Amino acid sequence: MFDTLLNLSAYCPDTVLDPETGDPITLDRLAAVLPPSLAALELSTDFLVPVPEPLQERFARYRPTPLFEARTFAEAVGNDCRVFVKDEGATPSGNHKANSAWWVAYHCAQDGIARITTETTGNWGIALALAAAEFGLEVLCFIDEASLRARPDRAELMRAAGARVEVVHPDDARFDPLVLSANRAVEYTRRQPDARYVFGSVYNYFILPQTIVGLEARGQLGDLRPDVVVGSCGGGANLLGISGTFLADLLSGAEGPEVVCAESELCPIVSKGVWGRYSIDDQGFYPKLHTYGLERLLGTDYIGGLGSTIVAAPVARCHAEGLIRTTTVSTGQAQAAAALFARTEGRRVALETGYQLAAVIAEARRAAGRSILVNISSVGSVATFA
């Protein structure tokens, strides 16, 4: 079990901004919004951050997650590629968000926070509810109507894990589910002195614990070094989780693999995003980030976890410096890639994973004989669903 994690935001100083002045935010100002421990992590300039012993013990219950070579899938893709798969489906929430949920819940408990509010399209809310219950914290999840319609079981699962759930209905023609839900969560939190709002993506306190995924994968691969590392990108946690250890090498001037960001054509946050100062709410509450952003999503079809209109600052910096390439994937391509993986490997995967697997296929066809590392969230064997 790793006792330190990578702080990729240390490579991006002064990107967390005061929502009123636009200047780099002070710790005191940030701690008035975030739990103090998370505020300190958000502004940390240490390249390595220790994992508290109680969290090491909790992570050890389900980590390391499996890594395997998907030989049959690679044969079906062709071009003599090798595909190595890191499976975050083995976490308590069935996806990588459990890593951030336990991290956030622990630090909130340490700060004496009694109630956490958050926005979610489903999976983050489930993960946070599970973790918060272990530390005796209350959670209120705001989920947009479209996300709930696409996956109606999400609300039931959040409630079963102990969370309260509020459904957010669109109040205008703009379809931006996370902003809608974030606004409602902010409005509620401002009226509750014992509550703190924690956004489930993009910010450093969420990204930092995800780096354990790539650190583990690197160790599990042993002497083998991948030629390509693929992750999907909405807010950046998935991508930076699997690729963070390799990007740290590249940012330090060392050699490393190509890093590929799989993004949805409905939310091309990296390839089409533009530099600016962005927040996840439009009420001047949460800190702004100097990073890439989109004015809006490019469609109303549900796209799983890839619906963020801003991205983590390290993704923007690495892309701007040519350390991350993008592959834009349609919903149909993602579904086809997920179906191929199910047929060849006997494992069903979450929708978000389909985008990563589609990018793997594109990379395999781009050049022959390469080794590709990708992270997935499996949701059970095909036989389980027969």
Side-chain angles (χ1 to χ4, degrees), residues 33 44 63 66 111 148 183 207 218 228 241 252 261 299 312 333 351 369:
V33 177
S44 172
R63 307 209 68 89
D111 289 342
L148 190 58
N183 281 339
I207 301 294
R218 191 169 193 162
V228 182
S252 301
C261 159
Q333 289 172 320
L351 174 61

Side-chain angles (χ1 to χ4, degrees), residues 192-241:
Q192 305 293 325
D194 63 343
R196 291 295 178 96
Y197 172 58
V198 177
F199 184 70
S201 185
V202 175
Y203 291 90
N204 189 41
Y205 61 77
F206 189 94
I207 301 294
L208 196 152
Q210 297 300 335
T211 62
I212 197 171
V213 178
L215 289 167
E216 276 185 4
R218 191 169 193 162
Q220 288 167 317
L221 287 171
D223 293 334
L224 189 144
R225 289 292 176 260
D227 301 300
V228 182
V229 178
V230 174
S232 61
C233 190
N238 188 307
L239 174 66
L240 293 176

Side-chain angles (χ1 to χ4, degrees), residues 88-170:
E88 289 295 288
T91 71
S93 64
N95 52 61
H96 66 284
K97 296 184 180 181
N99 307 318
S100 298
W102 258 260
W103 184 266
V104 164
Y106 168 80
H107 284 94
C108 286
Q110 291 295 108
D111 289 342
I113 304 299
R115 186 180 304 168
I116 306 172
T117 65
T118 195
E119 84 308 318
T120 184
T121 58
N123 286 337
W124 164 239
I126 295 168
L128 184 59
L130 288 168
E134 189 163 324
F135 292 101
L137 308 178
E138 295 181 24
V139 174
L140 174 57
C141 298
F142 291 84
I143 184 170
D144 68 283
E145 187 178 42
S147 295
L148 190 58
R149 189 166 55 246
R151 294 187 295 182
D153 64 321
R154 301 295 94 174
E156 181 181 338
L157 290 170
M158 283 187 278
R159 292 188 181 106
R164 287 174 52 202
V165 179
E166 295 285 342
V167 180
V168 180
H169 305 283

Side-chain angles (χ1 to χ4, degrees), residues 318-330:
C318 290
H319 179 261
E321 294 189 9
L323 304 181
I324 292 175
R325 288 193 291 105
T326 60
T327 295
T328 304
V329 178
S330 70

Side-chain angles (χ1 to χ4, degrees), residues 7 17 20 86 90 154 186 200-201 252 256 278 310 324 334 346 366:
N7 180 16
L17 309 175
E20 295 180 357
K86 179 69 166 165
R154 301 295 94 174
V186 165
S201 185
S252 301
Y278 303 96
I310 65 174
I324 292 175
R366 184 169 174 264

Side-chain angles (χ1 to χ4, degrees), residues 13 19 24 61 92 148 266 271 284:
R61 296 175 188 173
L148 190 58
L266 301 179
S271 64

